[in-house]
Amino acid sequence: MADKIYSEYPPPLSPEQEDYLVQTVKNWTIEHGLCVRPSTAIVSEEANPKNVLATNAPVTLFPSPFPKSCFEQARSLQQVYNELYAAIASDEQWLEEIMKELIEVDDFLANLWKIHLSVKEEGYVQDLTLGMFRSDYMLHTPEDSPPSLKQVEFNTISSSFGGLACLVAEMHTHLATFPSPEHPAAYPSHPLFSDSNDTSSIKSKGHPPHNAAVPTLTASLAAAHAAYGPSRSQPQLPTCILFLVQDTERNVFDQLALSTHLYDHHKIPSFRLPASRMLAYTSIPSKESNPSRPLIYTPPYSSSTQYEVTVVYFRALYTPTDYDTPTSWAARHHLERSAAIKCPSVLLQLSGSKKVQQVLTARPPDTDHLKAFLPHHSDEKLESMRTTFAPQYSLSTTNTADEPEGIRLALDEKTAANHVLKPQREGGGNNIYRTNIPPFLSSIPKEQWKQYILMELIHPPTEAKNTALRSDGQVASGNVISELGIFGTCLWKNTSGSTKPEILHNTEGGYLLRTKGKESDEGGVAAGFSSLDSVILYE
Amino acid sequence: MADKIYSEYPPPLSPEQEDYLVQTVKNWTIEHGLCVRPSTAIVSEEANPKNVLATNAPVTLFPSPFPKSCFEQARSLQQVYNELYAAIASDEQWLEEIMKELIEVDDFLANLWKIHLSVKEEGYVQDLTLGMFRSDYMLHTPEDSPPSLKQVEFNTISSSFGGLACLVAEMHTHLATFPSPEHPAAYPSHPLFSDSNDTSSIKSKGHPPHNAAVPTLTASLAAAHAAYGPSRSQPQLPTCILFLVQDTERNVFDQLALSTHLYDHHKIPSFRLPASRMLAYTSIPSKESNPSRPLIYTPPYSSSTQYEVTVVYFRALYTPTDYDTPTSWAARHHLERSAAIKCPSVLLQLSGSKKVQQVLTARPPDTDHLKAFLPHHSDEKLESMRTTFAPQYSLSTTNTADEPEGIRLALDEKTAANHVLKPQREGGGNNIYRTNIPPFLSSIPKEQWKQYILMELIHPPTEAKNTALRSDGQVASGNVISELGIFGTCLWKNTSGSTKPEILHNTEGGYLLRTKGKESDEGGVAAGFSSLDSVILYE
C-alpha cells in the first residue's frame, strides 16, 4: 500500500493552483517568521549591505506521507534514546575506549577529548548536563517487508530546526484546512487530506500532527535554568541563558523561536553571543575570588550590567569549521570549566559520534551495550530500539584477530552494492556508495580504513515526490528522500564515582521532516532543494 | 513640561548600544511579521525576480512621548466620530450639497458620485454599511497654551497600518521591558521607561499601551459578516470576505494580520483579490435569475468552488491612481450595486473628503452640523470634538455675498504666515505653506481658488526627536513630527426614506503613531524617513 500512497501523491496542480499555493506560501512564511536570511547566492552582499532582507525558509508545498506506526515508534523510543545518551556521556571509560583509535586520526575529536581531560584534572564544578537531542531516521521500504525506521544519526549538539519545523506543520495544516477541511482552497482534493472515515482505504487525519518542538526544547532549557539554582556570584547577579551562535548565522529565526518562547512562557532572559566574542564578553572569576567558577556575561552594550549564565546552549562550535579563530578552542575550554550547565558538555558531544552509533549496533551474544546502559528497560523496548539500527560495521582491524565482517562486506562487489561507506571524521569528506566502495578502499592505505564506517543502505520509498519553494523563489518538483527527526531532551546529574546519571528531566516532543530532491539512484542528495517539511500520517 | 520631555528624549545611545538595539529590531521585525516587501529602490527587480524578499517595516527605535490626556481624549471621541461619519454617509442630500461644486472640478469625486446615482436609480440591495476608520491627529503645542489635539484627517477608506501598528507597540514594549523593566537591555535608562512612582516628576507606565487595532478592526468585519446573514444564492454558497487589494502591494503583511486574525479568532475565511481582477473573478447573477444581487467569487485556482461575498473590504480603489485600467470604474460600480456589504460604500468614501471636514468646522451661530448629526450627544461632548478641529476655511465665493474669511486670511501675508493651503482634489498636488500662499493664489485664476482649503497651521512639539530603522537598513536620527491615528469601526443600517442610520456596532480600539523626519521649518515632511511608531504616555 505504501507504494500506491507515494506514487499517487502529491495531487497534481494546475498552473493557477500552483500560483495560488506558491503565493500563499510566500506570504505565510514571512508573516509567521518561517524565514531565513538569504544566502549571498540569492542576494549579493552589495544588494543587501545592511543584512536586513529575509526570505522564506525552503519549504515543501505539501506535507509528506509517513506511516503512522513508524512515526509513533520513533516517538515512543525517544525518551529511551535520551536516557541511553545520558548514560553514554556519563561513562567516561566506555567512551574513552571507543574514542581511543579515532583520536589518533581526528584532530577535532582529539581536541575535544583534551578539553575534557584538562577540565577533569582541574575538577568539574557543574554536575548537571543538558541534552537537546534530535534522533534522525529514514523510512526503510525494502520490497519484501513493511516499512520500518532506520536511524541515520543521533544529534547531541546544535539540533536545529525545531523552531521552524513547528511553523511548517502549522503552515501545512493551514493549507490543508483553509477555509474548510472539506474544501481546502490551496490543495486539490486528495484522500490524505480528508479526515477519513472507516469506509476509506487510507486512514489519515487530513493534516500534519501538531508539532511541539518549541515548547519541548524550551521547557528543557527552563528546567536546567531552574536546576542551576541561585547565582553563585558575590554579590549575586541576575541570571540568564546564553545562546552561543555562529558569527554569520542565516538560520537565526529558528533560534529566535526558542529564545522568544523561553522569555514569553518561562520569563527567562537569554542573550545571543557569537562564538568569536565568547572570550571577550564572558569571564570566570579567579579561583581565589570565587572557586565555584560562575560564567559571567557582560553585554557589550552595557558594561555596568552583568549576568550569570545558567545554561550555555550551543548553536555553534559543533563542527570543525566553527573553530576558525586562534581562540576558538580556548573559548570551548573556558565554557567547559565554567559552572554554567552545558548543552552539551564535551562528553555529550562526543557521544554523538558516528562511531558510537556503530558500536551500539553490536548484538548479543557479542556484546549488549544497550542492556548495560539501560538495565531497567524491558527486552521488548530494547529490541524495538535495535530494529531502528541500520546494520553498520567498523573497518578497524585493531581489536580483532579475524578479518572483520565490515571489511568482508565492503570488498566484495556484490555485498558492497548494498552499502555506503561513511567517513568517521567529523565534518569531512563525502560518502562512497555501492560498487565504488571496493576500488576506493583499494586506492587508500589499509591503515586509513578505520576512519570509515560501512553502513547498509536504507531504501526510502522510491516513488516519493514533492514540490518545494526554495529560498530564491524557484519552485522545484521531483522525487524526494525524507528524513524524520524526533526531538527529545534530557537533564541529568552525575555523581562523582558513579557512571550512572541521575535523570532529572526527560521529554519527547516535536519533529522535523527534511525533504531533499533526489539527484540520482546513487543515493546522492541534490543541492537542488533541501526543504523543511511536515508529515501527513497514514495507516 | 512638554518641552522638557521632548528635548531630553530619546536617551543618547553609545555605538555599542545602537548596534545592539538595531540588531534586535532587525531580527524582531522579521520574526514577528513586522515586515514589508522591499521597494525596487531597496532591491532591484532583477535582484528579486520572484518577489520573495521581505524587509523590516520602517520603525522608530523608541516609542515617542505623547501626553496621556490628549491620547485619552482622542480615544474618548472615536465612537462619537464613528457615529458622525455614519450619519454623514446616510444623509445623501447634505453630502450632495457639499459635493456639488467639487464635482465640477474633480473627476474622481464626480465618478464616485455618478456610481452612487446609478446604483440609487437601480435600487440598492444592501442597507448595511461598514466603516473601518482612522482619525488622525497632530499634537498642537503653541507657546502659550497646553498641548491639544488637532485633527488632520478622518479616513473612511483603506485605513491602513492597524496590523503593523500592533506589532510596533509590542516591539517597543519588549525593548523597554526585556529582560526586566528596571534594567532593559536595549534602552538606556530614562524616566519615561520606568513605571514611575509618585515621587517622580513625570508619570509614565514605562512602555506603550497595548494596541488593540487588529482585534478591533477584525471584530467589525466579523460583525458585518454575521449581519449579512445567510447566503442569498440558489443553492446557497459558502460565504467569505473579500480583501480588495492593489495589484502591487508592498504593505501586504499589515493586511494579512487582519485576515489571519479573522480566520483564527472568528473562523471567517477571506480571500485577497487584486482590483484589476475583480471583474474577472466575481460576478452578480442576472436580475432574472437572482434579483438580490449576491456577489459571487470564483477563485481563479478552483472554478468549481464558489463563494458568496458578505463584505468587500477596500484596500484598493481609494485613490485616483488606483483607477488605472479601462475597467476600474466598472469594477467599482459592480461592487457598489452588489449585495455585499461595502467597507466603505461610495457615500462613505465621499464623506471622508477634506471638504466635509472643513464644512464641519462651522460653528454656531452660523450652523451647527455636529448638533444636527449627533442630536443625542451632550454639548460638552460636541465641544470636546470641536476643540480637535483645526480652523479651516473655504476659498469658495459661490455661496456668499461677502468676501469669505478664508480668502481674507490667505491673501494677507501676516495671517497667511500661520496657514497652509491644501488642494481639495483627491490625490493631487502639494500643499502651499505660509507666505507662499498669497503669491500662489495671485498666480492662478480666481475661479480655481475653490479647489483649495485654507487651514491654520498645527504646531507640533519642535523639540521632538527619534531614531528610525528604515527598510533599507539605514539608521536615521533627527527632529520628527508625529501623527496619531485612532482606529474605530461602525456598522449601520439605512432605512429607506430616513437619513438617520441605525447603528449596530460602534467600537474604538487601537492606535497608530506615524513619525516622520522633519525636513525644514516650512512644515514639509522629508522622504528621509517615515516610520511606524508607538506612544509612551506621560502625565
Side-chain angles (χ1 to χ4, degrees):
Chain A
M1 191 180 76
D3 268 5
K4 190 160 170 280
I5 283 178
Y6 290 101
S7 64
E8 295 177 0
Y9 187 89
L13 294 167
S14 69
E16 292 78 14
Q17 286 173 323
E18 185 175 299
D19 274 359
Y20 176 75
L21 181 50
V22 166
Q23 192 50 50
T24 304
V25 169
K26 277 183 186 172
N27 283 341
W28 199 99
T29 48
I30 302 291
E31 184 191 1
H32 294 82
L34 179 43
C35 297
V36 292
R37 295 288 182 195
S39 70
T40 50
I42 294 178
V43 191
S44 68
E45 245 178 282
E46 301 82 63
N48 186 21
K50 298 283 178 180
N51 198 25
V52 277
L53 298 174
T55 184
N56 60 280
V59 290
T60 58
L61 298 185
F62 297 96
S64 286
F66 204 89
K68 191 178 179 193
S69 57
C70 292
F71 185 76
E72 288 183 346
Q73 184 194 13
R75 293 192 57 181
S76 74
L77 290 176
Q78 188 60 37
Q79 284 170 288
V80 194
Y81 265 123
N82 299 341
E83 206 182 320
L84 173 64
Y85 278 85
I88 292 171
S90 302
D91 195 338
E92 185 207 5
Q93 276 194 302
W94 187 89
L95 254 184
E96 189 180 7
E97 195 62 33
I98 307 285
M99 288 292 141
K100 241 179 1 198
E101 77 175 9
L102 289 176
I103 286 171
E104 292 170 21
V105 294
D106 190 327
D107 285 352
F108 181 67
L109 299 179
N111 280 329
L112 286 175
W113 190 258
K114 268 188 242 161
I115 286 176
H116 161 64
L117 291 182
S118 161
V119 177
K120 185 183 164 194
E121 196 182 332
E122 183 181 14
Y124 276 96
V125 287
Q126 180 54 267
D127 52 10
L128 299 169
T129 304
L130 177 64
M132 288 164 73
F133 302 132
R134 202 187 66 222
S135 182
D136 289 342
Y137 304 92
M138 276 168 70
L139 199 61
H140 185 48
T141 54
E143 274 176 30
D144 47 356
S145 33
S148 63
L149 283 179
K150 294 298 170 199
Q151 192 181 50
V152 176
E153 196 175 6
F154 191 87
N155 300 283
T156 59
I157 185 166
S158 298
S159 310
S160 58
F161 291 123
L164 298 189
C166 288
L167 291 169
V168 179
E170 204 185 306
M171 181 180 77
H172 284 158
T173 299
H174 173 77
L175 295 171
T177 59
F178 175 87
S180 75
E182 295 74 30
H183 299 288
Y187 287 163
S189 70
H190 187 280
L192 282 176
F193 298 144
S194 48
D195 192 347
S196 48
N197 51 39
D198 295 15
T199 61
S200 167
S201 63
I202 307 172
K203 275 196 180 174
S204 152
K205 241 178 70 182
H207 59 79
H210 178 71
N211 193 332
V214 169
T216 303
L217 296 173
T218 307
S220 77
L221 287 168
H225 180 82
Y228 182 91
S231 163
R232 298 162 194 204
S233 302
Q234 292 294 347
Q236 291 200 322
L237 293 172
T239 54
C240 75
I241 290 178
L242 216 52
F243 280 45
L244 183 68
V245 299
Q246 294 182 330
D247 286 61
T248 52
E249 174 62 82
R250 300 203 301 111
N251 192 26
V252 59
F253 305 104
D254 180 51
Q255 300 168 352
L256 289 174
L258 300 185
S259 48
T260 296
H261 194 270
L262 190 61
Y263 187 64
D264 289 351
H265 293 260
H266 299 282
K267 300 284 157 229
I268 300 170
S270 62
F271 295 94
R272 299 169 61 75
L273 186 57
S276 67
R277 303 208 210 158
M278 178 53 72
L279 288 175
Y281 297 115
T282 68
S283 61
I284 299 174
S286 68
K287 194 177 171 182
E288 294 68 37
S289 69
N290 189 338
S292 63
R293 291 185 232 148
L295 183 66
I296 311 301
Y297 171 56
T298 309
Y301 45 85
S302 169
S303 52
S304 62
T305 320
Q306 291 190 317
Y307 297 86
E308 182 170 332
V309 179
T310 57
V311 185
V312 180
Y313 172 44
F314 283 75
R315 291 294 291 256
L317 297 186
Y318 55 87
T319 181
T321 52
D322 276 357
Y323 291 79
D324 55 356
T325 74
T327 57
S328 300
W329 285 107
R332 184 65 188 263
H333 179 261
H334 169 76
L335 296 175
E336 191 71 9
R337 66 185 288 273
S338 80
I341 299 173
K342 271 73 68 183
C343 175
S345 65
V346 162
L347 288 185
L348 181 56
Q349 177 172 3
L350 291 171
S351 305
S353 316
K354 292 193 198 83
K355 182 68 186 173
V356 168
Q357 197 190 0
Q358 179 256 312
V359 167
L360 290 173
T361 62
R363 294 181 73 95
D366 294 356
T367 340
D368 193 349
H369 296 302
L370 290 195
K371 193 70 192 170
F373 281 125
L374 302 167
H376 305 297
H377 286 278
S378 69
D379 290 341
E380 289 71 30
K381 189 55 106 180
L382 300 186
E383 194 46 41
S384 172
M385 192 177 240
R386 274 194 199 94
T387 66
T388 67
F389 296 163
Q392 46 196 294
Y393 310 89
S394 164
L395 297 191
S396 164
T397 49
T398 316
N399 296 317
T400 171
D402 313 321
E403 179 88 318
E405 192 182 3
I407 292 181
R408 196 177 48 71
L409 292 167
L411 292 179
D412 181 338
E413 194 171 290
K414 244 187 253 168
T415 47
N418 195 33
H419 287 83
V420 53
L421 193 68
K422 292 184 168 186
Q424 179 57 251
R425 198 182 160 81
E426 289 295 329
N430 292 314
N431 294 344
I432 315 294
Y433 286 91
R434 302 175 193 259
T435 51
N436 293 332
I437 299 172
F440 174 78
L441 286 176
S442 308
S443 73
I444 61 169
K446 208 170 175 178
E447 304 79 61
Q448 290 185 17
W449 291 7
K450 65 181 172 191
Q451 296 177 33
Y452 294 87
I453 278 174
L454 187 77
M455 192 170 166
E456 202 173 294
L457 280 172
I458 302 172
H459 296 284
T462 52
E463 294 287 322
K465 287 180 292 298
N466 211 325
T467 298
L469 176 69
R470 306 191 323 188
S471 288
D472 61 2
Q474 298 286 347
V475 175
S477 288
N479 285 92
V480 295
I481 297 179
S482 294
E483 219 173 285
L484 174 73
I486 299 290
F487 291 98
T489 77
C490 197
L491 174 71
W492 67 88
K493 188 175 189 165
N494 288 115
T495 315
S496 161
S498 161
T499 59
K500 299 286 166 218
E502 180 193 342
I503 308 274
L504 306 177
H505 182 94
N506 179 1
T507 64
E508 172 276 327
Y511 62 93
L512 165 71
L513 197 73
R514 247 192 312 189
T515 291
K516 299 176 181 186
K518 222 199 290 191
E519 197 173 53
S520 71
D521 67 350
E522 281 303 282
V525 153
F529 63 95
S530 167
S531 303
L532 302 177
D533 194 354
S534 72
V535 295
I536 187 144
L537 302 176
Y538 66 86
E539 301 183 62
Chain B
M1 192 181 74
D3 267 4
K4 191 160 170 280
I5 283 178
Y6 291 101
S7 63
E8 295 178 1
Y9 187 91
L13 295 167
S14 69
E16 293 78 15
Q17 286 173 323
E18 185 176 299
D19 275 359
Y20 177 74
L21 181 50
V22 166
Q23 192 51 49
T24 304
V25 169
K26 277 184 186 173
N27 283 341
W28 200 99
T29 48
I30 302 291
E31 184 190 359
H32 293 82
L34 179 44
C35 297
V36 292
R37 294 288 182 194
S39 70
T40 50
I42 294 176
V43 191
S44 69
E45 245 178 284
E46 301 84 60
N48 186 21
K50 299 281 178 182
N51 198 25
V52 277
L53 297 174
T55 184
N56 60 280
V59 290
T60 58
L61 298 185
F62 296 96
S64 286
F66 205 89
K68 191 177 178 193
S69 58
C70 293
F71 185 76
E72 288 183 346
Q73 185 194 10
R75 292 192 58 181
S76 75
L77 290 176
Q78 188 60 37
Q79 284 170 286
V80 194
Y81 265 123
N82 298 342
E83 205 181 321
L84 173 63
Y85 278 85
I88 292 171
S90 302
D91 195 337
E92 185 206 6
Q93 276 194 305
W94 187 89
L95 255 185
E96 189 179 8
E97 195 61 34
I98 308 286
M99 287 292 141
K100 243 179 0 200
E101 79 175 9
L102 289 177
I103 286 171
E104 292 170 21
V105 294
D106 189 329
D107 284 351
F108 181 67
L109 298 178
N111 280 330
L112 285 175
W113 190 258
K114 269 188 243 160
I115 285 176
H116 161 63
L117 291 182
S118 162
V119 177
K120 184 183 165 194
E121 196 181 334
E122 183 181 12
Y124 275 96
V125 288
Q126 179 55 265
D127 52 10
L128 298 169
T129 303
L130 177 64
M132 287 162 75
F133 302 132
R134 202 187 66 221
S135 183
D136 289 342
Y137 304 92
M138 275 168 71
L139 200 60
H140 185 47
T141 54
E143 273 177 32
D144 47 356
S145 34
S148 62
L149 284 178
K150 294 297 169 198
Q151 192 181 50
V152 175
E153 196 176 7
F154 191 88
N155 300 282
T156 59
I157 184 167
S158 298
S159 310
S160 57
F161 290 122
L164 298 188
C166 288
L167 291 169
V168 180
E170 203 185 305
M171 180 180 77
H172 285 158
T173 299
H174 173 76
L175 295 171
T177 59
F178 176 86
S180 74
E182 295 74 30
H183 298 288
Y187 287 164
S189 69
H190 187 279
L192 282 175
F193 299 143
S194 48
D195 192 346
S196 48
N197 52 39
D198 295 16
T199 60
S200 166
S201 63
I202 309 172
K203 275 195 182 176
S204 152
K205 242 178 69 183
H207 59 78
H210 177 70
N211 193 331
V214 169
T216 303
L217 296 173
T218 307
S220 77
L221 287 168
H225 180 82
Y228 182 91
S231 163
R232 299 161 193 205
S233 301
Q234 293 294 347
Q236 291 199 324
L237 292 172
T239 54
C240 76
I241 290 178
L242 216 52
F243 280 47
L244 184 68
V245 299
Q246 294 182 331
D247 285 61
T248 51
E249 174 63 82
R250 299 202 304 110
N251 193 26
V252 58
F253 305 104
D254 180 51
Q255 301 168 352
L256 289 174
L258 300 184
S259 48
T260 296
H261 194 270
L262 190 61
Y263 187 65
D264 289 350
H265 292 261
H266 299 281
K267 300 285 158 227
I268 300 171
S270 62
F271 296 94
R272 298 170 61 76
L273 186 58
S276 67
R277 303 208 212 158
M278 178 53 73
L279 288 176
Y281 297 115
T282 68
S283 62
I284 298 174
S286 68
K287 194 177 171 182
E288 294 69 35
S289 70
N290 189 339
S292 63
R293 292 185 231 148
L295 183 66
I296 311 302
Y297 171 56
T298 309
Y301 44 87
S302 169
S303 51
S304 62
T305 320
Q306 291 190 317
Y307 297 86
E308 182 170 331
V309 179
T310 57
V311 185
V312 180
Y313 173 44
F314 282 74
R315 291 293 291 254
L317 298 186
Y318 56 86
T319 181
T321 52
D322 276 356
Y323 292 78
D324 55 356
T325 75
T327 58
S328 299
W329 284 108
R332 184 65 188 261
H333 180 260
H334 169 75
L335 296 176
E336 190 71 8
R337 66 185 286 274
S338 80
I341 297 173
K342 272 71 68 184
C343 176
S345 65
V346 162
L347 288 185
L348 181 56
Q349 178 172 2
L350 290 170
S351 305
S353 316
K354 293 194 198 83
K355 181 69 186 172
V356 169
Q357 197 190 2
Q358 178 257 313
V359 167
L360 289 174
T361 62
R363 294 181 72 97
D366 294 356
T367 340
D368 193 348
H369 297 301
L370 290 195
K371 193 71 193 170
F373 282 124
L374 303 167
H376 305 297
H377 285 278
S378 69
D379 290 341
E380 290 71 29
K381 189 56 102 179
L382 300 186
E383 194 46 39
S384 172
M385 193 176 239
R386 273 193 200 96
T387 65
T388 67
F389 296 163
Q392 45 195 294
Y393 309 90
S394 164
L395 297 191
S396 163
T397 48
T398 316
N399 295 318
T400 170
D402 311 321
E403 179 88 315
E405 194 181 4
I407 291 180
R408 195 176 49 72
L409 293 167
L411 291 178
D412 181 335
E413 194 171 290
K414 246 187 251 167
T415 46
N418 196 32
H419 287 85
V420 52
L421 193 68
K422 291 184 170 187
Q424 179 57 253
R425 196 180 161 80
E426 288 295 329
N430 291 314
N431 295 344
I432 315 294
Y433 286 91
R434 302 174 192 261
T435 50
N436 292 332
I437 300 173
F440 174 78
L441 285 177
S442 309
S443 72
I444 60 169
K446 207 168 177 179
E447 305 81 60
Q448 289 184 18
W449 289 7
K450 65 181 171 191
Q451 297 176 32
Y452 293 88
I453 279 174
L454 187 77
M455 192 168 164
E456 202 172 293
L457 281 172
I458 302 172
H459 296 283
T462 51
E463 293 287 321
K465 286 181 292 295
N466 211 326
T467 298
L469 176 68
R470 306 190 324 187
S471 287
D472 61 3
Q474 297 285 349
V475 175
S477 287
N479 284 90
V480 294
I481 296 178
S482 295
E483 220 175 282
L484 174 73
I486 299 289
F487 290 98
T489 77
C490 198
L491 174 70
W492 68 90
K493 187 174 188 166
N494 288 115
T495 315
S496 162
S498 161
T499 59
K500 298 286 165 219
E502 179 192 343
I503 309 274
L504 306 178
H505 182 94
N506 180 0
T507 63
E508 172 275 329
Y511 62 93
L512 166 71
L513 198 72
R514 247 191 313 188
T515 291
K516 299 177 182 183
K518 221 197 290 188
E519 198 173 52
S520 71
D521 69 350
E522 281 303 283
V525 153
F529 63 95
S530 167
S531 303
L532 302 177
D533 194 354
S534 73
V535 295
I536 188 145
L537 301 176
Y538 66 86
E539 304 182 59

Short mmCIF file of all heavy atoms in Angstrom, two decimals, chain B residues 40-61:
data_model
loop_
_atom_site.label_atom_id
_atom_site.label_comp_id
_atom_site.label_asym_id
_atom_site.label_seq_id
_atom_site.Cartn_x
_atom_site.Cartn_y
_atom_site.Cartn_z
N THR B 40 11.55 48.72 -5.07
CA THR B 40 12.62 48.48 -6.04
C THR B 40 13.79 49.43 -5.81
O THR B 40 14.88 49.20 -6.30
CB THR B 40 12.11 48.63 -7.48
OG1 THR B 40 11.41 49.88 -7.57
CG2 THR B 40 11.17 47.51 -7.85
N ALA B 41 13.57 50.49 -5.04
CA ALA B 41 14.69 51.36 -4.67
C ALA B 41 15.62 50.64 -3.70
O ALA B 41 16.81 50.91 -3.64
CB ALA B 41 14.17 52.65 -4.05
N ILE B 42 15.08 49.71 -2.94
CA ILE B 42 15.89 48.96 -1.97
C ILE B 42 16.51 47.72 -2.62
O ILE B 42 17.69 47.46 -2.47
CB ILE B 42 15.04 48.59 -0.73
CG1 ILE B 42 14.64 49.86 0.01
CG2 ILE B 42 15.78 47.64 0.18
CD1 ILE B 42 13.73 49.63 1.19
N VAL B 43 15.69 46.95 -3.32
CA VAL B 43 16.20 45.79 -4.05
C VAL B 43 15.63 45.87 -5.47
O VAL B 43 14.41 45.93 -5.64
CB VAL B 43 15.74 44.46 -3.42
CG1 VAL B 43 16.51 43.30 -4.05
CG2 VAL B 43 15.94 44.45 -1.93
N SER B 44 16.50 45.84 -6.43
CA SER B 44 16.04 45.95 -7.82
C SER B 44 15.23 44.71 -8.20
O SER B 44 15.38 43.65 -7.60
CB SER B 44 17.23 46.10 -8.76
OG SER B 44 17.95 44.89 -8.78
N GLU B 45 14.39 44.88 -9.21
CA GLU B 45 13.59 43.76 -9.68
C GLU B 45 14.47 42.60 -10.14
O GLU B 45 14.12 41.43 -9.94
CB GLU B 45 12.71 44.22 -10.84
CG GLU B 45 11.22 44.17 -10.51
CD GLU B 45 10.38 44.68 -11.66
OE1 GLU B 45 10.34 45.92 -11.82
OE2 GLU B 45 9.80 43.85 -12.38
N GLU B 46 15.60 42.93 -10.76
CA GLU B 46 16.49 41.86 -11.24
C GLU B 46 17.04 41.05 -10.07
O GLU B 46 17.29 39.86 -10.19
CB GLU B 46 17.67 42.43 -12.03
CG GLU B 46 17.28 43.27 -13.25
CD GLU B 46 16.96 44.70 -12.87
OE1 GLU B 46 17.85 45.38 -12.34
OE2 GLU B 46 15.81 45.14 -13.08
N ALA B 47 17.27 41.72 -8.94
CA ALA B 47 17.84 41.02 -7.79
C ALA B 47 16.78 40.26 -7.01
O ALA B 47 17.09 39.51 -6.09
CB ALA B 47 18.56 42.01 -6.87
N ASN B 48 15.52 40.44 -7.38
CA ASN B 48 14.42 39.86 -6.61
C ASN B 48 13.31 39.42 -7.57
O ASN B 48 12.15 39.81 -7.42
CB ASN B 48 13.91 40.92 -5.61
CG ASN B 48 12.85 40.40 -4.65
OD1 ASN B 48 12.73 39.20 -4.43
ND2 ASN B 48 12.06 41.31 -4.10
N PRO B 49 13.66 38.62 -8.57
CA PRO B 49 12.71 38.35 -9.66
C PRO B 49 11.44 37.64 -9.20
O PRO B 49 10.39 37.80 -9.80
CB PRO B 49 13.51 37.49 -10.63
CG PRO B 49 14.59 36.87 -9.81
CD PRO B 49 14.92 37.87 -8.75
N LYS B 50 11.54 36.86 -8.15
CA LYS B 50 10.37 36.10 -7.70
C LYS B 50 9.64 36.79 -6.56
O LYS B 50 8.72 36.22 -5.97
CB LYS B 50 10.81 34.70 -7.26
CG LYS B 50 11.46 33.88 -8.35
CD LYS B 50 10.41 33.29 -9.26
CE LYS B 50 11.06 32.50 -10.39
NZ LYS B 50 10.04 31.95 -11.31
N ASN B 51 10.09 37.98 -6.23
CA ASN B 51 9.45 38.75 -5.15
C ASN B 51 9.27 37.95 -3.88
O ASN B 51 8.20 37.93 -3.28
CB ASN B 51 8.10 39.30 -5.64
CG ASN B 51 7.60 40.44 -4.76
OD1 ASN B 51 8.40 41.12 -4.10
ND2 ASN B 51 6.30 40.63 -4.71
N VAL B 52 10.33 37.29 -3.46
CA VAL B 52 10.27 36.53 -2.21
C VAL B 52 10.83 37.30 -1.03
O VAL B 52 10.59 36.94 0.12
CB VAL B 52 11.07 35.21 -2.26
CG1 VAL B 52 10.27 34.12 -2.90
CG2 VAL B 52 12.43 35.38 -2.92
N LEU B 53 11.59 38.36 -1.30
CA LEU B 53 12.29 39.02 -0.20
C LEU B 53 11.36 39.89 0.63
O LEU B 53 10.35 40.41 0.13
CB LEU B 53 13.45 39.85 -0.75
CG LEU B 53 14.53 39.04 -1.48
CD1 LEU B 53 15.56 39.94 -2.12
CD2 LEU B 53 15.21 38.06 -0.52
N ALA B 54 11.72 40.05 1.87
CA ALA B 54 10.98 40.94 2.78
C ALA B 54 12.01 41.72 3.57
O ALA B 54 13.18 41.31 3.68
CB ALA B 54 10.10 40.13 3.72
N THR B 55 11.58 42.82 4.11
CA THR B 55 12.46 43.60 4.99
C THR B 55 11.61 44.20 6.10
O THR B 55 10.37 44.17 6.04
CB THR B 55 13.21 44.70 4.19
OG1 THR B 55 14.11 45.36 5.07
CG2 THR B 55 12.26 45.72 3.59
N ASN B 56 12.28 44.70 7.12
CA ASN B 56 11.53 45.32 8.21
C ASN B 56 10.71 46.50 7.70
O ASN B 56 11.17 47.25 6.85
CB ASN B 56 12.48 45.79 9.32
CG ASN B 56 13.49 46.81 8.83
OD1 ASN B 56 14.49 46.44 8.22
ND2 ASN B 56 13.24 48.09 9.08
N ALA B 57 9.51 46.67 8.24
CA ALA B 57 8.79 47.93 8.03
C ALA B 57 9.65 49.03 8.65
O ALA B 57 10.40 48.77 9.60
CB ALA B 57 7.42 47.86 8.71
N PRO B 58 9.58 50.25 8.11
CA PRO B 58 10.34 51.32 8.74
C PRO B 58 9.76 51.59 10.13
O PRO B 58 8.56 51.79 10.27
CB PRO B 58 10.12 52.52 7.80
CG PRO B 58 8.88 52.20 7.04
CD PRO B 58 8.80 50.70 6.96
N VAL B 59 10.61 51.53 11.14
CA VAL B 59 10.12 51.68 12.52
C VAL B 59 11.06 52.60 13.29
O VAL B 59 12.26 52.66 13.02
CB VAL B 59 10.05 50.32 13.26
CG1 VAL B 59 8.94 49.45 12.71
CG2 VAL B 59 11.39 49.59 13.21
N THR B 60 10.51 53.27 14.27
CA THR B 60 11.36 54.04 15.18
C THR B 60 11.99 53.08 16.17
O THR B 60 11.41 52.05 16.52
CB THR B 60 10.57 55.10 15.94
OG1 THR B 60 9.53 54.45 16.68
CG2 THR B 60 9.95 56.13 15.00
N LEU B 61 13.16 53.43 16.63
CA LEU B 61 13.81 52.59 17.64
C LEU B 61 13.18 52.79 19.01
O LEU B 61 13.20 51.89 19.85
CB LEU B 61 15.31 52.89 17.69
CG LEU B 61 16.10 52.61 16.40
CD1 LEU B 61 17.60 52.83 16.63
CD2 LEU B 61 15.86 51.19 15.91
#
